[in-house]
């Protein structure tokens, strides 16, 4: 029996990670792909094979995740024509209030996710464009959405509720939580290593360009640092994390920043990049922290 070939896609705000798996009883990773610094002048695409050998490592213009996916699909067609895709799985950052488990992507689901985009425009809009690209190129190809927010769907009411008037809470303003697929993976790994610890009280950190923490009990989320959007909580690569809401009102009402300018500042020009003035990459900042005071300040703040 020939194996099934499954492509998994993880679309970030400035990156795309992908892996091609051959599934036949077990699963075997055939290819790993990583596109970094998407939308910046020096985007980079790397492809590695089964034994970690490098198939491609190029700097090329990638204005968005859709462009990166197009390059990857062309490479697969040219170099691995014997491995046609049987299905695609997508990591989606936000699923809204109704997405509590993985789902086959249908026109109705695609439309519903479009209404969630304002809660996570940087990630979800790019992911939906990648889904639409695959629908155009391979209309019969099954696509499945796996949601980061689903892991936190069972948050206790006290953890998901903001102290806002009911009229605002009824608009859907609540804590969702993110990075759920990462937390779920950590729980599964810990259960294999130490089942008793996995069922206890845990604090777990997901650290990367986006960063969050979660409190878990018996493998379930009971609190988390992110909220309605992936902007809250810890200092991140280009996102600010927690800021006094009064500071944002001050910037809008007194300094007259528009909502668009504020959104750009908070999501794309804050965090490690905003404090250091040079880079959102912790690796670069650590290498320079001793001679660059602003890099050191960013590391200390994180």
């Amino acid at each position: 029996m020939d194996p099934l070939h499954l492509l998994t896609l993880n679309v970030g705000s400035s990156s795309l990670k992908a892996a091609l798996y051959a599934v036949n009883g077990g699963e075997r990773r055939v290819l790993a792909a990583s596109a970094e610094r998407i939308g910046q002048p020096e985007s980079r695409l790397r492809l590695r094979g089964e034994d970690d050998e490098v198939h491609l490592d190029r700097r090329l213009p990638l204005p968005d995740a859709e462009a990166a996916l197009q390059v990857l699909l062309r490479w697969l067609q040219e170099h691995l024509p014997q491995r046609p895709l049987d299905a695609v799985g997508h990591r989606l950052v936000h699923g809204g209030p109704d997405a509590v488990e993985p789902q086959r992507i249908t026109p109705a689901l695609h439309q519903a996710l479009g209404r969630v985009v304002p809660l996570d425009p940087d990630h979800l809009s790019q992911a939906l464009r990648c889904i639409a690209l695959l629908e155009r190129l391979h209309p019969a190809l099954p696509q499945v959405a796996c949601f980061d927010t689903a892991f936190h769907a069972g948050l206790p009411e006290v953890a998901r509720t903001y102290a806002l008037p009911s009229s605002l809470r009824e608009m859907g303003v609540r804590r969702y939580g993110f990075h759920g697929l990462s937390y779920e993976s950590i729980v599964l790994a810990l259960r294999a290593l130490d089942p008793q610890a996995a069922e206890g009280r845990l604090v777990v950190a997901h650290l990367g360009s986006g960063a969050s923490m979660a409190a878990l009990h018996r493998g379930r989320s009971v609190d988390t640092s992110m909220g309605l959007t992936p902007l809250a909580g810890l200092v991140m690569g280009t996102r600010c994390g927690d800021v006094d809401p009064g500071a944002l009102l001050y910037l809008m009402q007194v300094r007259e920043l528009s909502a668009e300018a504020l959104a750009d500042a908070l999501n794309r020009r804050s965090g490690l990049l905003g404090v250091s003035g040079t880079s959102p990459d912790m690796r670069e900042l650590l290498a320079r922290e001793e001679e660059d005071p602003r890099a050191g300040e960013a590391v200390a703040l994180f």
Side-chain angles (χ1 to χ4, degrees):
M1 179 178 174
D2 292 334
L4 297 174
H5 292 101
L6 308 181
L7 181 67
T8 61
L9 294 176
N10 177 358
V11 178
S13 55
S14 60
S15 66
L16 181 145
K17 294 183 176 67
L20 178 66
Y21 292 91
V23 180
N24 190 358
E27 61 196 38
R28 179 169 52 88
R29 194 185 71 185
V30 176
L31 186 78
S34 174
E36 298 177 342
R37 297 179 180 269
I38 289 175
Q40 298 182 39
E42 287 196 354
S43 305
R44 184 179 185 181
L45 178 64
R46 286 180 284 189
L47 303 179
R48 293 179 289 110
E50 292 184 60
D51 299 321
D52 242 17
E53 71 275 22
V54 177
H55 290 319
L56 180 72
D57 190 347
R58 286 179 54 197
R59 298 189 183 276
L60 68 170
L62 297 172
D64 51 35
E66 185 180 357
L69 179 57
Q70 286 177 318
V71 174
L72 173 60
L73 293 174
R74 282 198 298 270
W75 192 94
L76 289 173
Q77 190 172 26
E78 292 172 7
H79 296 87
L80 296 176
Q82 75 279 16
R83 301 185 188 274
L85 299 180
D86 293 290
V88 179
H90 297 265
R91 173 244 182 175
L92 296 185
V93 169
H94 213 310
D98 300 321
V100 297
E101 59 186 1
Q103 297 181 44
R104 173 85 176 259
I105 298 174
T106 63
L109 178 60
H110 199 151
Q111 188 175 25
L113 291 172
R115 295 192 289 270
V116 182
V117 166
L119 297 180
D120 181 29
D122 287 345
H123 296 90
L124 197 52
S125 58
Q126 293 214 65
L128 290 178
R129 287 198 293 271
C130 288
I131 290 170
L133 172 66
L134 285 161
E135 287 174 343
R136 291 195 303 271
L137 296 177
H138 306 283
L141 184 67
Q143 298 191 69
V144 173
C146 301
F147 303 99
D148 262 339
T149 47
F151 181 77
H152 304 286
L155 274 176
E157 197 67 28
V158 69
R160 74 168 62 185
T161 301
Y162 290 124
L164 295 170
S166 59
S167 58
L168 300 183
R169 286 184 276 117
E170 287 166 3
M171 295 178 185
V173 180
R174 44 158 280 203
R175 186 183 306 279
Y176 281 95
F178 299 91
H179 295 142
L181 297 177
S182 173
Y183 292 129
E184 185 176 359
S185 174
I186 289 168
V187 169
L188 291 173
L190 186 57
R191 281 177 176 156
L193 292 169
D194 189 336
Q196 184 175 355
E199 295 305 304
R201 294 154 58 87
L202 307 174
V203 173
V204 182
H206 172 100
L207 303 179
S209 180
S212 70
M213 297 180 77
L216 310 182
H217 186 221
R218 296 178 180 171
R220 296 179 178 275
S221 176
V222 295
D223 208 347
T224 187
S225 61
M226 283 183 168
L228 176 72
T229 75
L231 192 55
L234 308 182
V235 173
M236 296 173 246
T238 64
R239 281 173 269 167
C240 59
D242 282 351
V243 174
D244 176 1
L248 309 184
L249 293 173
Y250 166 78
L251 291 171
M252 295 182 73
Q253 295 172 344
V254 179
R255 295 297 185 175
E256 299 183 344
L257 264 69
S258 67
E260 292 77 13
L262 195 56
D264 178 65
L266 299 177
N267 281 288
R268 303 179 192 91
R269 296 190 291 109
S270 294
L272 298 176
L273 175 62
V275 177
S276 71
T278 54
S279 176
D281 191 319
M282 180 60 82
R283 294 165 295 188
E284 295 178 8
L285 298 176
L286 286 170
R288 294 204 317 270
E289 66 175 325
E290 292 187 6
E291 66 269 11
D292 182 346
R294 293 184 65 183
E297 184 183 356
V299 171
L301 186 59
F302 180 81

